[in-house]
């Protein structure tokens, strides 16, 4: 019985510790004891993680239906969140290995003793988790499938599904007409056309202001002529994770009927290598009219984002602008996989994002935008160059973007370290994490 588990000391109750036991003469044939650690230290994130280990243990036994006796500590929200997040698999690309380890998903969850008034919150969590799974699928998918055209189709699909969403896709011709010279420059080496995607969600028709979410949509980053070496390129299908966050966040906002207006803008292309590739040392003119010396073709994200940022500022009345991008290796060096880099010209906006980060545990860490950093991006033949040396490279990316920001509260989220992790952990079961989606939904809920 569970008493022997405790008396023998075989079960210590550490956070995430699990033990199956099989009581005689009981209605339940199999029970699982879950450790939650010290009660005073048991916060939302501890519950998410502890219940992730329940899901993993049950999947190993191919169990698909679970009943929970809820613990006294903490709310039921994080428990359900931890379970649903852990219930994500990406097995589409497996073949033989699926015979040995078939996909098991938990398909029924019974919560014993959940209160009626807690139900709306659980529905809300389910909606948000489904959106993060949609986002993770886009990032985990092959770069040769998840192309600029594919992202555009997904955006069009959102418009078909939700009456409050309107999608506009610019093809290459239209992008040329709009003079998005930087997006076109990055696209030069690619066999595929670029796409520029606008997804508008109208959740508050009485408000004329819009929140812009701008996503980096590099569907594969080879580095271009400044080619990435082996060891640096293999994960670069994740370079559209910012775009995935934008699509998934707007999907969740529409599903939740958030009372806010959003415009998602995605600048998408591969950064490939080819005889036609854009060249280090050449100068290109941005949508904003600013000229940019390409000092490194691998600093392509800031280029496509600059054109997108400039476009939404020109065509929409913005309450705030948040861009989200796998922008720099520098932020990975600084913060690892634990925190997203946050840069902002507005303390209030930064604090709201920090708060949302604590609530969701998609933590953000604010970095400086001291004017002195601008020096490093001085060009002798153009208005600005797109990269400097290794020093403060995460900050330089943000400083470059800032040059294209007019008078609007702005935040830049560098998810290069958090979007795609090297090995699964806690409730993150695959490389793609969906980080940014729960964060932004929490933020948008707070400000709407
Ligand atoms: N997509 C990369 C950044 C990246 C690195 C994302 C690691 C995810 C994990 C970006 O386009 C890039 O190549 N940045 C360069 C900029 C440099 C050339 C100024 C970098 O950070 O090395
Ligand atoms: Mn790059
Ligand atoms: Zn990139």
């Amino acid at each position: 019985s569970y008493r022997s588990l405790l008396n023998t000391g075989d079960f210590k109750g550490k956070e995430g510790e699990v033990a199956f036991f099989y009581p005689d003469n009981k209605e339940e044939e199999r029970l699982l004891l879950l450790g939650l650690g010290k009660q005073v230290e048991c916060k939302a994130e501890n519950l998410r993680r502890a219940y992730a280990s329940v899901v993993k243990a049950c999947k190993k036994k191919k169990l698909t239906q679970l009943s929970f006796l809820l613990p006294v500590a903490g709310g039921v929200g994080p428990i359900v969140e931890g379970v649903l997040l852990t219930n994500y698999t990406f097995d589409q690309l497996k073949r033989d290995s699926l015979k040995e380890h078939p996909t098991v998903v938990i398909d029924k969850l019974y919560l014993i003793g959940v209160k009626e008034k807690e139900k709306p919150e659980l529905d809300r969590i389910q909606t948000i988790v489904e959106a993060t799974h949609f986002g993770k699928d886009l990032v985990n998918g092959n770069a040769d499938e998840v192309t600029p055209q594919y992202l555009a189709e997904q955006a069009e699909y959102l418009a078909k599904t939700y009456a409050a969403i309107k999608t506009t896709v610019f093809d290459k011709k239209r992008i040329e007409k709009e003079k998005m010279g930087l997006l076109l420059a990055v696209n030069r080496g690619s066999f595929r056309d670029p796409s520029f995607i606008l997804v508008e969600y109208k959740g508050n028709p009485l408000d004329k202001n819009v929140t812009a979410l701008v996503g980096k949509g590099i569907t594969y980053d080879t580095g271009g002529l400044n080619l990435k070496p082996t060891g640096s390129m293999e994960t670069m299908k994740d370079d559209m994770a910012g775009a995935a966050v934008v699509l998934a966040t707007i999907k969740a906002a529409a599903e939740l009927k958030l009372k806010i207006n959003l415009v998602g803008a995605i600048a998408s292309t591969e950064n490939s290598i080819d005889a036609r590739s854009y060249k280090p040392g050449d100068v290109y003119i941005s949508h904003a009219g600013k000229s940019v010396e390409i000092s490194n073709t691998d600093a392509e994200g800031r280029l496509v984002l600059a054109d997108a940022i400039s476009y939404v500022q020109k065509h929409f009345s913005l309450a705030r602008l948040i861009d989200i991008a796998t922008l720099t290796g520098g932020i990975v060096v600084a913060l690892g996989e634990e925190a997203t880099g946050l840069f902002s010209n507005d303390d209030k906006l930064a604090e709201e994002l920090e708060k949302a980060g604590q609530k969701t545990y998609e933590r953000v860490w604010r970095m400086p935008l001291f004017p002195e950093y601008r020096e490093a991006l001085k060009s002798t033949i153009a208005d600005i160059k797109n990269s400097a040396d290794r020093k403060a490279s995460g900050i330089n990316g943000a400083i470059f973007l800032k040059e294209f920001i007019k008078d609007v509260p702005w935040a830049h989220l560098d998810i290069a370290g958090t979007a795609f992790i090297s090995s699964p952990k806690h409730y993150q079961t695959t490389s793609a994490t969906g980080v940014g989606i729960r964060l932004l939904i929490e933020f948008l809920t707070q400000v709407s």
Side-chain angles (χ1 to χ4, degrees):
S1 80
Y2 80 95
R3 295 227 170 268
S4 338
L5 276 169
L6 300 178
N7 292 342
T8 54
D10 286 0
F11 186 86
K12 299 206 164 48
K14 285 199 201 117
E15 177 184 313
E17 190 180 353
V18 291
F20 285 99
F21 62 100
Y22 309 87
D24 297 323
N25 316 319
K26 290 275 158 63
E27 274 178 41
E28 295 291 344
E29 201 172 23
R30 186 197 284 110
L31 290 168
L32 182 145
L33 199 57
L34 169 67
L36 294 177
K38 291 206 177 83
Q39 185 165 345
V40 286
E41 288 165 14
C42 190
K43 303 272 154 56
E45 181 66 4
N46 307 88
L47 288 173
R48 287 185 200 104
R49 292 179 182 186
Y51 279 80
S53 65
V54 170
V55 173
K56 286 180 219 167
C58 292
K59 281 184 161 202
K60 261 192 211 139
K61 293 205 186 297
K62 302 197 179 20
L63 306 177
T64 59
Q65 305 201 353
L66 313 178
S67 306
F68 289 168
L69 258 175
L70 297 170
V72 277
V76 64
I79 292 175
V80 170
E81 197 171 28
V83 170
L84 296 181
L85 285 168
T86 315
N87 206 22
Y88 174 78
T89 57
F90 188 79
D91 289 344
Q92 285 98 301
L93 305 177
K94 292 179 182 166
R95 293 295 180 270
D96 287 355
S97 51
L98 268 185
K99 288 178 198 142
E100 254 173 79
H101 302 286
T103 303
V104 180
V105 288
I106 310 291
D107 62 15
K108 277 212 173 70
L109 199 60
Y110 298 94
L111 302 166
I112 301 166
V114 69
K115 295 186 191 80
E116 193 63 34
K117 65 172 200 296
E118 291 172 308
K119 281 187 185 162
E121 174 64 2
L122 300 184
D123 289 342
R124 182 178 170 272
I125 288 168
Q126 190 169 3
T127 299
I128 297 168
V129 172
E130 271 161 23
T132 73
H133 293 177
F134 165 73
K136 288 187 211 181
D137 278 348
L138 291 174
V139 177
N140 281 322
N142 274 345
D144 271 334
E145 183 182 347
V146 186
T147 61
Q149 288 66 42
Y150 185 93
L151 291 176
E153 280 164 27
Q154 294 300 311
E156 274 159 356
Y157 176 74
L158 290 183
K160 244 188 229 149
T161 314
Y162 303 100
I165 293 182
K166 184 182 125 196
T167 293
T168 313
V169 176
F170 292 0
D171 62 6
K172 185 175 176 186
K173 242 182 146 169
R174 179 72 191 270
I175 292 168
E176 283 167 353
K177 219 178 124 206
E178 297 291 344
K179 295 197 165 67
M180 296 185 175
L182 301 181
L183 175 57
L184 289 164
V186 176
N187 177 253
R188 283 185 62 90
S190 177
F191 148 78
R192 282 181 241 276
D193 281 358
S195 66
F196 181 74
I197 306 162
L198 289 167
V199 190
E200 291 166 71
Y201 165 69
K202 225 175 186 47
N204 188 0
L206 298 177
D207 188 355
K208 65 170 180 31
N209 288 327
V210 182
T211 295
L213 303 176
V214 180
K216 172 175 173 181
I218 299 296
T219 55
Y220 198 80
D221 184 10
T222 69
L225 289 177
N226 293 107
L227 190 66
K228 287 185 184 293
T230 297
S232 298
M233 203 191 292
E234 292 79 354
T235 58
M236 284 301 135
K237 70 170 169 190
D238 81 343
D239 220 14
M240 38 56 72
V245 169
V246 170
L247 291 174
T249 300
I250 294 179
K251 177 182 157 66
E255 193 80 51
L256 297 170
K257 300 193 165 66
L258 290 191
K259 286 199 174 35
I260 194 166
N261 300 324
L262 302 174
V263 56
I266 292 167
S268 184
T269 172
E270 282 180 5
N271 184 23
S272 304
I273 185 164
D274 181 81
R276 295 182 75 259
S277 285
Y278 75 134
K279 296 165 180 66
D282 274 2
V283 174
Y284 291 87
I285 311 299
S286 65
H287 176 270
K290 229 184 254 299
S291 68
V292 179
E293 177 193 348
I294 306 304
S295 41
N296 193 320
T297 61
D298 199 11
E300 84 296 338
R302 62 200 69 179
L303 299 174
V304 305
L305 286 172
D307 277 356
I309 285 170
S310 141
Y311 185 91
V312 290
Q313 286 177 118
K314 186 172 165 196
H315 293 275
F316 295 87
S317 163
L318 298 184
R320 56 184 79 78
L321 187 158
I322 301 172
D323 77 78
I324 181 151
T326 46
L327 203 69
T328 66
I331 209 72
V332 191
V333 172
L335 303 174
E337 296 182 344
E338 296 306 325
T340 292
L342 164 67
F343 300 83
S344 184
N345 62 2
D346 187 279
D347 290 344
K348 187 162 159 269
L349 176 57
E351 278 160 29
E352 286 161 344
L353 284 164
E354 283 169 335
K355 229 174 80 194
Q358 280 156 14
K359 185 96 191 285
T360 55
Y361 221 70
E362 294 192 345
R363 293 167 296 178
V364 300
W365 196 259
R366 193 168 179 187
M367 305 284 285
L369 286 166
F370 303 138
E372 287 81 358
Y373 289 114
R374 175 65 177 81
E375 293 294 305
L377 296 177
K378 269 197 173 145
S379 166
T380 53
I381 58 162
D383 297 334
I384 192 169
K385 61 182 183 180
N386 75 330
S387 77
D389 59 12
R390 288 157 45 83
K391 289 198 287 277
S393 98
I395 300 173
N396 288 339
I399 291 282
F400 182 89
L401 296 177
K402 187 170 174 281
E403 286 296 304
F404 294 84
I405 296 292
K406 292 177 180 160
D407 190 23
V408 64
W410 160 69
H412 158 57
L413 296 166
D414 192 338
I415 53 170
T418 48
F420 203 75
I421 53 179
S422 39
S423 54
K425 60 175 180 200
H426 312 307
Y427 45 81
Q428 298 294 2
T429 56
T430 64
S431 307
T433 61
V435 161
I437 302 164
R438 290 195 298 121
L439 172 79
L440 287 180
I441 285 294
E442 177 61 31
F443 166 79
L444 293 171
T445 306
Q446 292 309 326
V447 299
S448 69

